[in-house]
Amino acid sequence: MERASSAPCDEQLLARLAGRGITPTPQRLEVARALFGRCEHLSAEEVHASVNADGRHVSRATVYNTLGLFVSRGLVREVIVDPARVFYDPNTDPHHHFFDADAGRLIDIDGDNVAVTGLPPLPEGTELDGIDVIVRLRHSR
Amino acid sequence: MERASSAPCDEQLLARLAGRGITPTPQRLEVARALFGRCEHLSAEEVHASVNADGRHVSRATVYNTLGLFVSRGLVREVIVDPARVFYDPNTDPHHHFFDADAGRLIDIDGDNVAVTGLPPLPEGTELDGIDVIVRLRHSR
DNA sequence: CTAACTGCAAACGTTTTGCAACTTT
DNA sequence: AAAGTTGCAAAACGTTTGCAGTTAG
């Protein structure tokens, strides 16, 4: 089953890596496929499992290295909502998240309409790295 | 606003625990002292270290159990900004945080003036548990 | 040749768990 | 005795690291 949006072809992924100056390797393509090939937020362990599910194999260390590389190059975004796992979000547009802790589920909130107002000035010697808004949910009875 | 804020006496702590239906034990008082006796965000390990610094001893398991108990009773708040550690915040008023990842430092932002607007409706079957705004900082230049 | 990349396994730090001992009633 | 609490040590979990081997330029 191939749909351009949910399963980008390798050329698109290659272009994406190239655009960030990332040397493409088979392993990195696998990781990129796992992240961009579905519309989900994946934890590092889930990426590792996903990459190794279809008969191929990429080591844990390489998955973690690759995810770190992708984050440092702005290809994906790290979302920290649960101490037990970091999620990697292929959506790098400004946006926020619903987090359903009961289900361990993270849902994007489009950033266009969301505004945070009334923030105080930043502490001395620091600059803004980003604003995460996490709307924590619980299941209603 | 009464001022014994930086070193509340045991009676205040006892009242605080009682108010949440928490049976006071010497260990729980120690943990409460560590959290409310200073104006800092502490990680579980820091609480453990703090409690064990002044000659007394509370086991790791008890510290973790106690922190979990305090969170579940709303006595302190869990702030998750770093996968490597959960911070415990004695300030349970609505507020947000600056997070300086380089320094591992968390700073409260008073919630009174901060507003988040433009959020979409919550997903079916869920209700709001809270909104965390995390302003991530990096050191300039 | 050199630099970059990968994989394995061991190490790491935080948190959780199993279980026996101790308190409190 | 029953319920609740504690401490120790071990385990579990996600993540990082050391290093040898491989690949690419």
Side-chain angles (χ1 to χ4, degrees):
Chain A
M1 115 125 66
E2 66 171 311
R3 307 220 318 278
S5 67
S6 71
C9 67
D10 286 2
E11 285 148 38
Q12 290 176 297
L13 291 176
L14 285 167
R16 220 188 265 267
L17 297 192
R20 304 282 179 164
I22 299 172
T23 308
T25 68
Q27 291 85 350
R28 289 173 182 175
L29 267 175
E30 288 292 343
V31 171
R33 253 195 289 273
L35 286 167
F36 293 99
R38 63 188 73 198
C39 303
E40 269 179 79
H41 301 81
L42 299 176
S43 68
E45 286 299 312
E46 285 165 344
V47 171
H48 182 239
S50 162
V51 155
N52 290 329
D54 51 2
R56 308 174 185 255
H57 179 70
V58 180
S59 74
R60 213 178 292 276
T62 297
V63 169
Y64 278 92
N65 285 341
T66 301
L67 289 171
L69 176 68
F70 284 4
V71 169
S72 74
R73 298 298 173 86
L75 194 65
V76 301
R77 186 170 136 180
E78 214 172 31
V79 186
I80 301 165
V81 285
D82 183 333
R85 54 190 190 180
V86 176
F87 288 96
Y88 293 91
D89 190 343
N91 177 1
T92 52
D93 295 338
H95 69 282
H96 303 292
H97 296 95
F98 285 122
F99 180 57
D100 177 346
D102 294 339
R105 209 158 55 106
L106 201 57
I107 303 162
D108 278 359
I109 298 173
D110 186 72
D112 290 347
N113 306 308
V114 177
V116 180
T117 57
L119 291 174
L122 307 189
E124 272 298 311
T126 65
E127 55 187 46
L128 188 64
D129 193 41
I131 298 181
D132 291 358
V133 176
I134 296 160
V135 181
R136 295 184 186 273
L137 305 174
R138 89 174 88 79
H139 289 179
S140 32
R141 27 169 43 274
Chain B
M1 164 218 263
E2 35 160 341
R3 278 293 42 178
S5 71
S6 70
C9 65
D10 287 1
E11 283 149 38
Q12 289 175 297
L13 291 176
L14 284 166
R16 220 188 266 268
L17 298 191
R20 304 283 180 163
I22 299 171
T23 309
T25 69
Q27 291 86 348
R28 290 174 181 175
L29 267 176
E30 287 293 342
V31 171
R33 254 195 289 272
L35 286 166
F36 293 99
R38 61 188 73 196
C39 303
E40 267 179 82
H41 301 82
L42 299 176
S43 68
E45 285 299 310
E46 286 166 343
V47 171
H48 182 239
S50 164
V51 155
N52 290 327
D54 51 0
R56 308 174 185 254
H57 180 69
V58 180
S59 75
R60 209 174 239 98
T62 298
V63 169
Y64 279 92
N65 284 342
T66 301
L67 289 171
L69 176 67
F70 284 4
V71 170
S72 74
R73 299 296 173 85
L75 195 65
V76 300
R77 185 170 137 179
E78 214 172 31
V79 186
I80 302 165
V81 284
D82 182 334
R85 54 190 192 182
V86 177
F87 288 95
Y88 293 92
D89 190 344
N91 177 1
T92 52
D93 295 339
H95 70 283
H96 303 292
H97 296 95
F98 284 122
F99 180 57
D100 178 345
D102 294 338
R105 208 159 55 106
L106 201 56
I107 304 162
D108 279 0
I109 298 173
D110 186 74
D112 289 347
N113 305 308
V114 178
V116 180
T117 57
L119 290 174
L122 307 190
E124 271 300 309
T126 65
E127 54 188 45
L128 188 64
D129 192 41
I131 297 181
D132 289 358
V133 176
I134 295 159
V135 182
R136 293 184 187 276
L137 305 174
R138 89 175 90 78
H139 291 179
S140 25
R141 73 215 330 297

